[in-house]
Structures are given as C-alpha cells and as structure tokens.
Amino acid sequence: MLQFISMRDEEYKSYGDLTSLNKSRDLFNTIGKETLERIARSYLDLLETSSAIYEVDGSYATALFSSGYCRFLDSASRGLCNTDDNEEAINSGKWLCHESCWTDASKIAVQTGALYDLSPCNGGINIYAVPIKVSGKVIGSLNCGYGSPPTDEAIIDELVKKYNVNKEKLTELARQYLVRPAYVIEAMKRHMQLAAELIGEIYERKKLEEKILEKEEQLRTAFDFSTMGIAIISPTRGLLNANDRLCKMFGYTREELIKMTLADITYIDDLYRDLALFNQVLKGVTDGYRLEKRFIRKGGTVMDTTLWINCRRDDRGDVKYCVALLEDISKRKMLEEEIRLSNEILNHISEGVFLIRAADGTIVYTNPRFDEMFNYSHGELLGKHVSIVNAPTNIDPQETARRIILSIEENGMWQGEILNIKKTGETFWSYASVSTFEHTRYDTVWVAVHMDITERKRINDELKQLTDNLKIRIIEEVKKNRLKDQLMYEQSRHIAMGELLVNIAHQWRQPLTTIGLLVQDIKDAYVHNELDLKYLDNSIKVIMIELTGLSSTIDSFKNFYFDKHERTHINIAVEINKALALLGGYFKESGIVLESELDENNMTYAFPNEISQVILNILNNTKDVFEARRIPNGSIKIKSYKDPGTGKTIIIVADNGGGVRKDIIGHIFDPYFTTKHRSRGTGLGLYISKLIIENHMNGTISIKNTDDGCEVRIEL
C-alpha cells in the first residue's frame, strides 16, 4: 500500500493503494506488507524522503513518503495524468515521480542487476536503486530518494512549470528539508544494499519454508533424525510428540514434554504473539506461520529460537495437528548482538582503527574515523600496503613499517608515536597501538588503533616554550623585585631618618634653650656680682645634665641606624624601647599617653634594629593620625608577650586615633599607598614593615579597627 508518513493527509490529494495493481505479488505475498514497510523505513528514516519496493515487473510491493517535498511533487504529477484510473496514470508516462522512481532508476537496476544512481530525478533530487536478488536472479528492486531539494530560483521556476505547482509552497518545502551530511547518505546506500540482501534472504527462506511445508511426509520420515527440534502439536497446543533434538534443546525427556503445552514452555512476553498467530491457523486464515520467539528450558534459562508452525487439516478444513520446527538461534542472536555492538563501537569511536593482513602487510579494513583522519574515502585504502600511511622521515616509510612489524612479531604488540601522512600529503602525529589476532578470513592480522595527537604535541611544545620563557621571566622579575625591595627599604630608612631628625631637632630645642638661658644667667650674675663658686657649680651641673641628654639622643639615633648586618638573638623589649626612646619626647610634649607592657625576657633571632624600625614606622603613622585628626587625650598602648599555646612572640600596638576607613584598610600594607599629603608620606613605611616581618622574620603583621582606634598585631 502506498502510504504517507509525517505529513497531514488533507494537504495532498490521495490516489489510493497502488499495491492493489500488483499482478505479480511475488515479493508482496512472500515477504509480507509489514516486513517490507519495516525494511523500507529502516533506511528511509535516515533521509526523510521517499522509497519504493518493486516487483520484477514494476508492480508496487510497497511505497512510503516521509518528505513533504517528495509527496507534494508526487501528488502534483499524479494530477498531470488527467485520469482517475491509477493503472492508466502509471502507463501514461505523465506521472513524473513514478517515471523517475521506476522507469529511470529501479527498472534499470532490475535489467542490469547492478546498483544504479539517478542524478537528478524529475523532482531535482537523486534516486539510488538496488536490485533484489536470490541466487543471482533479480526478483525486484528497492530505491530511495536522497539529497537536498533544490533551492536555486531558476531550478525552482523550472519545477514549478514542469509540475504546475505553487512556487511559494514548493520553495517552503524545499527549505524545510534538513540537509544530511555525506556520511549519512553513504550509510543509507550501504543500508539499502543490506536491505536488498535481507529481502532476498527472507524471500529465499520463505520459499524454503513453503517447500518444507509441502513435503510434510518427508519431514515425518526425517522426524527423528533432524538437526532441528520438531514437535507434533494438537489444536489445543498440547505436545503430541517431540523428536530427540527438541528434547535435548529443552532438557526434558519425551515423556515430560508430551505432558506440556507450548504455553508451558514459552517465555511469557512472547506468548501473546504466538497465540494470536496460532488462532489464525485454527480459524483457517493461514495454514502456518514463522516466528522468532523465546522459550524456557528446564533449568529456567531462556532460549532464542525460530519457530515454524504448519498445520494439516481434515476434509472439513479443521486443524488435525500442526508440525512445529524449532531452531535454536541463541548463539546466532548473541553473535549478531556482539557484531552489532562491535560495529557501533568501531563506527563511533574517536580513534582510527584498521586491520593489516600479516602475510603481506596490506590493509583489509578501516573504520570511518581512520578514513577521515587520513582523508581517504571509505574502502579506498583496502588492498594498499600499510606503508602508504607512514610519513617519510629520516627513515624510509617501508623501513618504518618493517620495524613495527618486527616488534609485533617479537613482542606481540607495538605502541608509540608515529608520523603519518594523509592522502593530501599533509603530515600529522598519532599515538598508535598495534596488536595481533587470528581472523577467520584473513588469518593472522594486526589491528592498529590510531589517536591523532598533533594538537596535543603542538600544545605541549607551546607549553614547554611558555614554561621556559616563564622561568626566565620569573628569575628576572625576582631580581627586579629584590632590587626594588632593597631600594624601597633604603628609601624607607632614609625617610624614617628624616622624620627622626625632625623629632630629634624638636627634642633638642628645649635642652638647648635651657643651656642658652643658663649661659645668659651666668653673665647677668657676674654683672650684678651674684656669681660665686656655688652658683657656678649649680649652673654647670644643670648644663651637663642637659648635654648628657642631648648625647643620649645622638647615641640612640646612631644605634638605630648603624646596626650590624647579620642576624643575632635580640631582646624584643629592648628593641621596642629603642623606638620609644626616639619618639618619647615628642609624645610627652604632645600630651600623648604612652603605656607599655613588655616581656623583658622575650628573645628572637633577627637583624638588630629591624623590630625597632617596624615599631617606629607604626608609631610615626599613629603620630601623623593624631596630628591630622587633632585627637585630644591621645593614647598608645604597646604590649609584647609569648603565646604559651603557639610559642609565638606577639606584639600589639593599639591607639585611640579613630581607626582606618573600611574601604582602605585592606590596602594599608600596599607599596606607595598613603592617605597623607605628598609632603607628609610616601606610602612605604608600613609596606617595608610587612616585608621585614614576613620575609626577614617569617612572621605576620595585620591591622584591625577597634572601638575607638585601630590595633596592629605582629606574630613572630
């Protein structure tokens, strides 16, 4: 029956069932309508066009449409015949789609017995026709349309004129078609060839079944000697008799089997189909049937079989008994599934696979991926020597192949990277794994699996180059950073020195003023006759005290900047007090309360004066904040102790200067970051402090806001 699928029937004029005109009915009756349609759909679904299966005389055995484009033109060309009679339409020569499918394609395949590729057909696509053969004799043909409908306006205009159709509708249907890649079309062609072979095999088997049923008496004689399981079945499906082969297949004795019915040993999921077909036999609709079904053996295992049922009737036409033939196809089913899975894997894996006959080194199989990798069409490499895919290097391709073959012969396998050459002459790298096994057709073969690693090698080379360059840059940057840090460190010390000199000048001002006043007072005392030895001793004593204080300040400054450039054990409290001595006078004069709680016994291993410099940097920043914000009653608390839990030395400097803004607190220790005017700061003090603590002392320094100020925490 001519059927349309995947389209709305109301859009096209129906012209009925063309299989009713089938005069031969050979394929139609032998294979069956449902089977033919299933086979046609199996390859038609790949393309969504149209397909027809013809008897040898051109009668339709089946025809299917899955393309709106094909169906539209077929319906239009049927209308060109100007007759309601389908047979007249077929013979008129005006049914353009029928002429393309049969006369111009399948008829040629029938006459020549060879594959025929029509390009293009009347409708602008292509038609691939395959003859159906049995024992070399052509018994029919199947075809299928393929290729994208034309979208060129000139061709569309020609088709519109030829088929007398609406241009917009035709253009829309042509553009709706989903373009299939070339490999799908090639797969369809191979599938069609297999389908033709399958139909031929089914036809041949069906004819054989008919002969078997006709020779029932001969089967009775051969009953006990058959290699197939044979049973005589009553109309109620009870087993009347069974041959030895059937008993062996099921694992029952003959006595056990004849007490059963077919339903007792049928796999439950297959029971309904079998009963439905058997009822057709009982009703006289058919005298027998063939069915692939599963049975249950005595041990409970499932057995796949092909079951043939044929009946003998009495004079009234009622079934007297049926003969059942069973062929155990479990191994075949398993093998077919393994082959199917193997083919699926080989056709879809990402690696290229090919087989080489060991006897002469020729290629006997390639999977689609291998053909794609080397730019060959399918089958083009078959029969070629394996060296054809080896790229020339400093070693001849033949020699490369010989070395690989020698390794396989000695070790049973070979693995490694190899330079290949494509058909185009382009070379590429692959990682190959080659092993050996015995093939039923080619004897000893080598199976080679290739994985393209060209991109991986390129990336590895680039990564190596990048790594080498990065190493060089890291070394250079480390040198630059070390020099930069050293310069920044020295710059920070000079800045701190300048700040200290300002503080020293501030601290010296009062003692110098005192000394100056005393000197002037001595002169006045002399003028007024008040100068005596006691007065002079007291004045000298006060002056010496002030001079000693000035000298002490100079010593503190000298000790702070002229340190030893080697690590030693230092007392944390002593180092902190050095910094306090340099700024103590300023804090006292400014009214800033300075409280310290220092562990006098806490020692650490570091460069002398570095702790003093860090504390001094922190105190200078605090001093600047107090001045900028005009903080009244300023307070600084310094505490140092050893944490008994971790063993670390902890130094905490806290103030009540109002804290650090949240948006900048995370950048406090960044280089050149400062909130002061350019004349007041460079942003290096706290950065250098961080370098000293982290790089020189393997410690940490952090800052956080408190209720009224901030707290700097150092852990060593």
Side-chain angles (χ1 to χ4, degrees):
M1 178 178 180
L2 186 62
Q3 294 191 10
F4 304 127
I5 59 179
S6 302
M7 296 297 298
R8 293 183 296 173
D9 289 334
E10 65 267 23
E11 292 184 5
Y12 304 97
K13 181 180 179 181
S14 175
Y15 45 77
D17 182 5
L18 294 183
T19 60
S20 62
L21 303 177
N22 191 333
K23 297 177 182 178
S24 169
R25 305 192 75 80
D26 188 22
L27 282 172
F28 186 86
N29 290 341
T30 303
I31 306 299
K33 164 190 163 185
E34 182 180 354
T35 300
L36 289 172
E37 289 181 356
R38 275 205 326 267
I39 292 172
R41 284 194 181 96
S42 69
Y43 55 81
L44 181 58
D45 286 346
L46 293 172
L47 300 179
E48 293 186 353
T49 52
S50 62
S51 175
I53 301 177
Y54 296 97
E55 305 280 359
V56 72
D57 64 352
S59 299
Y60 281 91
T62 188
L64 299 172
F65 286 101
S66 63
S67 162
Y69 178 88
C70 293
R71 183 176 176 184
F72 180 66
L73 291 184
D74 181 69
S75 178
S77 63
R78 174 63 179 86
L80 297 175
C81 301
N82 297 319
T83 176
D84 293 329
D85 189 292
N86 283 332
E87 187 169 5
E88 288 181 8
I90 288 174
N91 296 326
S92 70
K94 298 178 182 179
W95 197 339
L96 299 178
C97 289
H98 167 75
E99 291 298 312
S100 291
C101 289
W102 167 247
T103 308
D104 300 332
S106 277
K107 185 176 182 180
I108 296 174
V110 168
Q111 291 173 341
T112 62
L115 304 172
Y116 187 75
D117 209 337
L118 174 63
S119 177
C121 70
N122 282 317
I125 63 172
N126 309 314
I127 298 177
Y128 189 65
V130 182
I132 302 172
K133 298 179 182 180
V134 174
S135 300
K137 179 183 177 183
V138 178
I139 62 170
S141 171
L142 57 86
N143 67 34
C144 185
Y146 74 93
S148 303
T151 55
D152 181 79
E153 187 167 358
I155 299 176
I156 290 291
D157 289 339
E158 182 180 345
L159 291 174
V160 167
K161 182 177 180 181
K162 183 192 295 185
Y163 282 84
N164 192 23
V165 293
N166 180 273
K167 180 178 179 179
E168 287 74 19
K169 181 65 176 178
L170 183 62
T171 302
E172 178 187 1
L173 291 172
R175 290 175 177 172
Q176 287 176 354
Y177 183 79
L178 180 63
V179 177
R180 267 56 172 184
Y183 72 85
V184 172
I185 294 173
E186 289 301 316
M188 176 275 296
K189 291 182 178 181
R190 293 195 297 272
H191 197 140
M192 288 180 64
Q193 295 172 34
L194 292 174
E197 292 177 9
L198 178 62
I199 292 173
E201 290 176 2
I202 295 173
Y203 179 91
E204 190 173 25
R205 185 178 294 179
K206 287 281 189 179
K207 292 299 182 181
L208 178 61
E209 291 171 9
E210 292 173 3
K211 291 180 181 179
I212 290 174
L213 294 175
E214 290 173 0
K215 297 180 179 180
E216 186 177 5
E217 292 301 322
Q218 296 177 12
L219 285 175
R220 288 178 63 87
T221 304
F223 181 77
D224 292 327
F225 304 98
S226 175
T227 57
M228 299 180 68
I230 304 175
I232 307 301
I233 304 171
S234 71
T236 58
R237 292 172 58 83
L239 296 173
L240 302 176
N241 198 0
N243 70 347
D244 291 340
R245 175 59 182 159
L246 190 71
C247 295
K248 187 176 181 180
M249 287 168 62
F250 282 92
Y252 291 104
T253 65
R254 184 175 286 102
E255 290 72 21
E256 289 174 325
L257 271 179
I258 61 178
K259 295 177 183 178
M260 300 179 178
T261 66
L262 281 180
D264 295 332
I265 53 177
T266 295
Y267 187 75
I268 187 65
D269 291 346
D270 295 346
L271 182 59
Y272 177 78
R273 288 189 301 140
D274 192 15
L275 284 174
L277 292 171
F278 194 82
N279 287 335
Q280 295 293 309
V281 174
L282 294 179
K283 292 176 182 179
V285 177
T286 181
D287 287 334
Y289 59 89
R290 173 189 174 276
L291 177 67
E292 286 191 1
K293 64 174 291 187
R294 291 164 289 183
F295 286 96
I296 305 297
R297 296 188 181 93
K298 186 175 182 178
T301 58
V302 178
M303 174 174 57
D304 286 289
T305 71
T306 300
L307 170 67
W308 289 270
I309 294 287
N310 190 262
C311 71
R312 279 289 179 263
R313 301 184 184 275
D314 57 22
D315 295 339
R316 295 177 301 177
D318 295 330
V319 175
K320 293 173 60 178
Y321 61 88
C322 292
V323 177
L325 301 178
L326 272 82
E327 178 186 6
D328 185 350
I329 60 172
S330 300
K331 290 183 179 179
R332 192 195 80 191
K333 282 282 188 181
M334 188 180 301
L335 182 61
E336 287 176 351
E337 180 62 16
E338 290 177 356
I339 292 173
R340 187 190 69 79
L341 288 174
S342 296
N343 287 335
E344 285 292 315
I345 292 170
L346 285 174
N347 288 336
H348 293 89
I349 60 174
S350 58
E351 291 82 9
V353 180
F354 72 125
L355 300 183
I356 307 126
R357 184 164 51 209
D360 54 10
T362 58
I363 300 171
V364 295
Y365 168 82
T366 59
N367 77 333
R369 175 57 181 150
F370 189 86
D371 294 331
E372 179 186 349
M373 286 173 64
F374 287 84
N375 289 131
Y376 286 93
S377 58
H378 184 65
E380 190 176 355
L381 281 168
L382 302 185
K384 302 288 194 301
H385 192 268
V386 64
S387 61
I388 193 174
V389 297
N390 298 138
T393 58
N394 57 335
I395 303 174
D396 182 74
Q398 291 277 358
E399 176 61 18
T400 300
R402 190 192 68 79
R403 292 183 182 183
I404 294 174
I405 291 170
L406 181 62
S407 175
I408 296 170
E409 291 174 346
E410 292 178 352
N411 307 313
M413 66 175 297
W414 179 87
Q415 289 180 329
E417 295 182 358
I418 187 169
L419 185 63
N420 301 308
I421 186 167
K422 299 182 180 182
K423 183 180 179 181
T424 58
E426 178 186 356
T427 60
F428 69 100
W429 283 95
S430 70
Y431 183 84
S433 176
V434 187
S435 56
T436 182
F437 73 95
E438 295 298 318
H439 194 280
T440 56
R441 180 177 176 185
Y442 301 113
D443 298 326
T444 302
V445 298
W446 300 311
V447 56
V449 180
H450 279 251
M451 180 172 63
D452 190 338
I453 60 170
T454 303
E455 184 65 14
R456 188 181 75 185
K457 286 183 73 67
R458 183 188 66 79
I459 292 173
N460 286 341
D461 290 343
E462 290 181 357
L463 285 175
K464 184 179 182 302
Q465 184 64 39
L466 286 172
T467 302
D468 292 342
N469 292 339
L470 185 59
K471 287 179 180 177
I472 295 171
R473 289 195 62 185
I474 288 173
I475 293 171
E476 293 174 350
E477 290 299 321
V478 167
K479 289 181 179 179
K480 291 179 181 178
N481 286 336
R482 285 176 179 172
L483 179 60
K484 181 181 70 176
D485 289 344
Q486 183 62 33
L487 291 173
M488 292 172 68
Y489 179 75
E490 294 299 328
Q491 184 180 0
S492 173
R493 285 177 62 86
H494 292 153
I495 292 170
M497 184 186 296
E499 292 177 345
L500 280 177
L501 289 174
V502 172
N503 289 328
I504 289 170
H506 190 82
Q507 285 186 236
W508 275 23
R509 188 171 290 113
Q510 182 178 346
L512 289 174
T513 300
T514 300
I515 293 171
L517 290 173
L518 286 171
V519 171
Q520 290 179 2
D521 191 55
I522 290 172
K523 181 179 180 181
D524 289 341
Y526 174 77
V527 171
H528 294 92
N529 294 316
E530 295 176 357
L531 181 64
D532 58 15
L533 183 60
K534 182 180 179 181
Y535 185 90
L536 186 61
D537 286 340
N538 287 334
S539 297
I540 291 172
K541 185 177 180 180
V542 172
I543 289 171
M544 289 307 296
I545 291 172
E546 295 297 338
L547 289 175
T548 300
L550 293 175
S551 177
S552 176
T553 302
I554 291 296
D555 288 341
S556 296
F557 178 78
K558 181 185 68 174
N559 290 336
F560 184 79
Y561 278 101
F562 296 96
D563 56 342
K564 297 178 182 179
H565 295 286
E566 59 183 23
R567 294 178 186 271
T568 185
H569 286 91
I570 60 174
N571 186 294
I572 296 295
V574 170
E575 296 299 315
I576 293 175
N577 283 326
K578 285 182 183 179
L580 296 180
L582 293 171
L583 289 175
Y586 170 81
F587 287 141
K588 183 177 180 180
E589 184 178 318
S590 301
I592 298 172
V593 178
L594 185 62
E595 299 179 16
S596 62
E597 183 182 343
L598 308 177
D599 183 351
E600 301 293 340
N601 300 315
N602 197 355
M603 304 290 289
T604 190
Y605 191 70
F607 289 105
N609 294 328
E610 285 193 336
I611 287 291
S612 300
Q613 182 176 352
V614 171
I615 298 300
L616 189 63
N617 286 338
I618 295 171
L619 293 177
N620 274 326
N621 275 275
T622 305
K623 173 177 71 68
D624 292 341
V625 169
F626 282 166
E627 289 179 354
R629 296 180 181 177
R630 298 180 179 179
I631 302 296
N633 303 318
S635 172
I636 299 174
K637 297 179 181 180
I638 302 178
K639 183 178 181 180
S640 72
Y641 63 94
K642 186 176 288 291
D643 189 327
T646 62
K648 293 181 177 180
T649 293
I650 309 298
I651 302 172
I652 297 175
V653 182
D655 64 58
N656 64 343
V660 184
R661 295 205 318 265
K662 291 182 179 180
D663 60 325
I664 66 171
I665 195 168
H667 302 285
I668 285 294
F669 295 105
D670 292 350
Y672 300 110
F673 180 83
T674 180
T675 59
K676 307 172 190 176
H677 188 272
R678 187 174 301 174
S679 64
R680 296 293 306 273
T682 62
L684 289 175
L686 291 180
Y687 171 68
I688 293 300
S689 298
K690 180 179 176 68
L691 288 181
I692 291 172
I693 296 298
E694 293 184 353
N695 296 347
H696 292 189
M697 299 185 178
N698 196 28
T700 61
I701 182 170
S702 60
I703 187 170
K704 69 175 183 179
N705 284 326
T706 59
D707 292 339
D708 58 354
C710 70
E711 176 185 291
V712 178
R713 181 182 179 91
I714 299 170
E715 296 186 11
L716 303 176

